[in-house]
Amino acid sequence: DIVADVEAVVQDMDVCRDPSYPQRRPHKHTCGFDSCDITSPLTSSGNVTLATAIKSTNVFACSYVVAENAVRLQQTRFRFFRELFHEASPGSLFLFTDTTHRLWPALIDLARELNDDGHHTDGEPHTLRIAIPHIRCGKNGWQLSLFKDSASRSSVEQFSCDTDKLYDRFTNDNLAHLSRLDRGWKRDERKVRGSK
């Protein structure tokens, strides 16, 4: 079944490369990119574009911004993401990829907190499902994905044993990193390519 699904996707991709494709099968999907400020509330002036498109957007990608804004995110208790998760439409997917997995537990804790609070959008309960995919091709990191589902908390599968182990590992990695920082560890100067 998986091979058939992959083949169907590849066939769809080949059809999309055909110049006559839009005339034969117009799509209703759009893709846009814009910046926002994850250290400010969703209602701030730097997030106007996102705030106006939030109900019509289904995929939110945070690529290499969480780790570099870690201190400010922790100071605000991840307010931006709390508001984003709350306001996004059911069926929304949140993808996180970064240089480190050390902050995934904070986002997972936020998702669990919203789930435990009976997270509602438009009067309906919603749950954030959690997955921790691993990229093996050219990268050596763990990503995080959250899916806003209309399922009730009781119908959502709880963390698997593997996910619990990863959560613990990521938490321990973060504690070890913070301990190194407390002891005065500093990142080495960036090396200049070609120099010795």
Side-chain angles (χ1 to χ4, degrees):
D1 288 344
I2 293 174
V3 173
D5 290 343
V6 171
E7 288 173 357
V9 170
V10 171
Q11 288 172 354
D12 285 345
M13 289 171 59
D14 286 339
V15 167
C16 289
R17 281 188 244 157
D18 179 350
S20 66
Y21 175 73
Q23 290 79 26
R24 292 187 297 134
R25 187 176 171 192
H27 61 83
K28 296 178 183 172
H29 303 287
T30 59
C31 182
F33 297 89
D34 210 325
S35 60
C36 65
D37 183 357
I38 67 170
T39 65
S40 296
L42 192 56
T43 55
S44 73
S45 61
N47 293 326
V48 170
T49 304
L50 175 61
T52 57
I54 199 166
K55 294 294 184 188
S56 62
T57 301
N58 299 108
V59 178
F60 299 88
C62 296
S63 183
Y64 301 100
V65 296
V66 175
E68 70 183 39
N69 292 291
V71 172
R72 184 75 178 121
L73 286 169
Q74 290 164 340
Q75 289 171 344
T76 63
R77 296 188 60 239
F78 290 81
R79 179 177 175 178
F80 172 86
F81 290 110
R82 180 182 309 277
E83 293 172 353
L84 179 65
F85 297 159
H86 186 268
E87 293 298 322
S89 298
S92 294
L93 178 64
F94 306 92
L95 302 169
F96 297 89
T97 186
D98 221 310
T99 57
T100 181
H101 54 259
R102 292 189 304 262
L103 293 174
W104 294 167
L107 288 165
I108 291 169
D109 289 343
L110 175 59
R112 286 175 167 172
E113 178 186 323
L114 292 171
N115 290 346
D116 289 343
D117 288 347
H119 180 168
H120 287 68
T121 302
D122 301 328
E124 297 294 320
H126 295 94
T127 301
L128 287 165
R129 294 180 186 246
I130 301 161
I132 305 173
H134 185 239
I135 292 180
R136 298 183 197 286
C137 183
K139 300 272 184 187
N140 191 20
W142 294 93
Q143 288 62 52
L144 175 65
S145 63
L146 303 172
F147 178 72
K148 187 171 182 177
D149 196 357
S150 59
S152 68
R153 177 85 170 127
S154 60
S155 67
V156 174
E157 184 178 320
Q158 298 298 314
F159 259 25
S160 69
C161 181
D162 289 340
T163 306
D164 274 334
K165 288 178 185 175
L166 286 172
Y167 177 88
D168 292 341
R169 174 184 158 193
F170 299 165
T171 300
N172 290 334
D173 287 350
N174 192 43
L175 292 172
H177 175 72
L178 294 173
S179 177
R180 281 192 303 272
L181 293 176
D182 286 345
R183 291 190 312 268
W185 178 84
K186 300 261 189 222
R187 182 178 302 276
D188 291 338
E189 291 290 323
R190 179 170 250 164
K191 295 179 182 171
V192 178
R193 191 176 238 168
S195 67
K196 293 192 178 199

